[in-house]
């Protein structure tokens, strides 16, 4: 990989990707990445973004992240052109011995462009850059970690360290669903929503300002909203996807609702 150099450049329209740690950043042009010697063909049998088999030209994320200063508990913030912004554990992206998940930076080759995203009216693809995964065994890779239309990857502290206001009290038992709810909220919901200002995403509204969803949704309606937003209400420019049981089990939905209710009680 090319060594990092100082100088942050990020353009939503340019065919570039910015990679940064806490010391420096570098912006890579698409053609430079396509020429990287680490590029290989990667086939995803059931790509969850395209809902079909896809073959990509891609760089293993373990190779792409080489040269970065990354701590054992660090995350990588993946930001898309539309301000979708998800925190992914760096250890998961780097893989390593014994890992059942392999992450890749897929690069949309102009010589063989990716198709338009299914169900999107704008006709755009998932390119120019996307994170794709080969998963085996019992690897836990959130559907939100299949981030696409990327413009930047940035090494950060964990979301729990960056935004301590998300935390639950030490008195909450380790097995309480509230703790699972916090984890699932960070992994699934914060890719599009902030909570009381915590987070980076701007696709959806802040879920704590001015009111928590549990203050205006009955629990069953909130569960339905998380499972299939269109079953509860529709609105112009609706972006929130439906989460099937395979990506967000009922127990996880219940846990998210429990965490939201816990945070609402904190404010009273």
């Amino acid at each position: 990989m090319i060594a990092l150099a100082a100088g942050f450049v990020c353009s939503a329209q340019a065919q570039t990707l910015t990679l940064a740690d806490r010391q420096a950043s570098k912006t890579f042009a698409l053609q430079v990445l396509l020429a990287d010697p680490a590029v290989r063909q990667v086939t995803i049998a059931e790509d969850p973004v395209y809902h079909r088999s896809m073959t990509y030209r891609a760089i293993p994320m373990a190779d792409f992240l080489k040269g970065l200063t990354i701590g054992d508990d660090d995350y990588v913030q993946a930001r898309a052109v539309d301000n979708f912004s998800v925190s992914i554990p760096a250890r998961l992206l780097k893989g390593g011995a014994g890992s059942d998940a392999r992450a890749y930076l897929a690069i949309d080759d102009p010589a063989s462009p990716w198709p338009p995203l299914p169900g999107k009216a704008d006709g755009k693809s998932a390119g120019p850059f996307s994170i794709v995964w080969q998963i085996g065994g019992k690897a836990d890779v959130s559907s939100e970690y299949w981030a696409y239309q990327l413009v930047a990857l940035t090494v950060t502290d964990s979301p729990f360290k960056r935004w301590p206001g998300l935390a639950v009290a030490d008195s909450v038992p380790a097995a309480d669903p509230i703790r699972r709810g916090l984890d699932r909220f960070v992994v699934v919901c914060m890719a599009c929503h902030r909570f009381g200002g915590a987070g980076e995403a701007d696709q959806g509204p802040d879920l704590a300002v001015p009111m928590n969803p549990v203050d205006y949704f009955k629990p069953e309606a909130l569960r339905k909203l998380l499972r299939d937003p269109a079953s509860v209400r529709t609105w112009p420019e609706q972006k929130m996807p439906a989460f099937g049981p395979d990506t967000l089990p009922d127990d996880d939905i219940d846990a998210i609702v429990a965490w939201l209710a816990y945070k609402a009680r904190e404010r009273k």
Side-chain angles (χ1 to χ4, degrees):
M1 287 300 301
I2 300 172
L4 290 178
F8 178 84
V9 179
C10 181
S11 170
Q13 302 303 319
Q15 301 286 290
T16 59
L17 178 69
T18 296
L19 178 66
D21 59 17
R22 295 176 180 85
Q23 284 76 46
S25 67
K26 183 175 180 65
T27 297
F28 296 89
L30 182 145
Q31 292 297 341
V32 170
L33 291 178
L34 284 173
D36 192 292
V39 169
R40 64 193 65 182
Q41 280 202 338
V42 175
T43 297
I44 309 298
E46 296 181 13
D47 187 292
V49 174
Y50 278 106
H51 309 294
R52 48 168 275 193
S53 175
M54 289 287 293
T55 297
Y56 297 99
R57 294 190 69 186
I59 301 173
M61 287 297 299
D63 291 326
F64 191 55
L65 297 177
K66 281 181 180 177
L68 293 177
T69 301
I70 303 177
D72 292 341
D73 297 325
D74 280 344
Y75 279 59
V76 173
Q77 194 79 27
R79 177 176 290 279
V81 67
D82 60 359
N83 280 332
F84 173 97
S85 185
V86 63
S87 295
I88 306 175
R91 57 173 174 74
L92 188 62
L93 288 170
K94 292 168 68 176
S99 176
D100 288 326
R102 293 286 185 271
Y104 297 86
L105 176 69
I107 308 157
D108 193 359
D109 187 351
S112 181
W114 301 344
L117 287 167
K120 302 289 187 179
D122 60 14
K124 294 180 180 179
S125 77
F129 309 103
S130 179
I131 297 175
V132 301
W133 300 80
Q134 288 182 327
I135 304 170
K138 297 181 179 179
D140 185 12
V141 176
S142 167
S143 60
E144 303 305 294
Y145 292 169
W146 293 77
Y148 56 86
Q149 295 179 349
L150 294 175
V151 293
L153 296 170
T154 306
V155 177
T156 68
D157 291 332
S158 79
F160 311 101
K161 186 175 180 179
R162 294 175 73 188
W163 301 297
L166 298 171
V168 301
D170 292 341
S171 58
V172 176
D176 194 302
I178 290 171
R179 292 195 178 277
R180 175 69 176 173
L182 169 58
D183 176 76
R184 293 295 87 192
F185 183 86
V186 168
V187 170
V188 177
C189 305
M190 287 189 73
C192 297
H193 299 277
R194 300 188 187 209
F195 190 87
E200 292 192 359
D202 290 316
Q203 274 204 325
D206 189 310
L207 295 181
V209 179
M211 297 174 68
N212 187 304
V214 300
D215 293 328
Y216 52 88
F217 274 115
K218 293 181 178 179
E220 187 55 35
L222 184 52
R223 291 184 182 93
K224 287 183 178 180
L225 182 72
L226 288 168
R227 174 65 71 219
D228 182 9
S231 70
V232 176
R233 64 184 181 188
T234 59
W235 59 95
E237 303 298 325
Q238 181 173 349
K239 295 181 179 180
M240 185 171 174
F243 291 95
D246 55 331
T247 58
L248 193 64
D250 288 342
D251 287 349
D252 283 359
I253 288 180
D254 290 343
I256 291 172
V257 173
W259 178 79
L260 288 170
Y262 170 85
K263 300 306 285 185
R265 291 194 299 272
E266 277 191 336
R267 297 181 64 174
K268 296 179 180 179

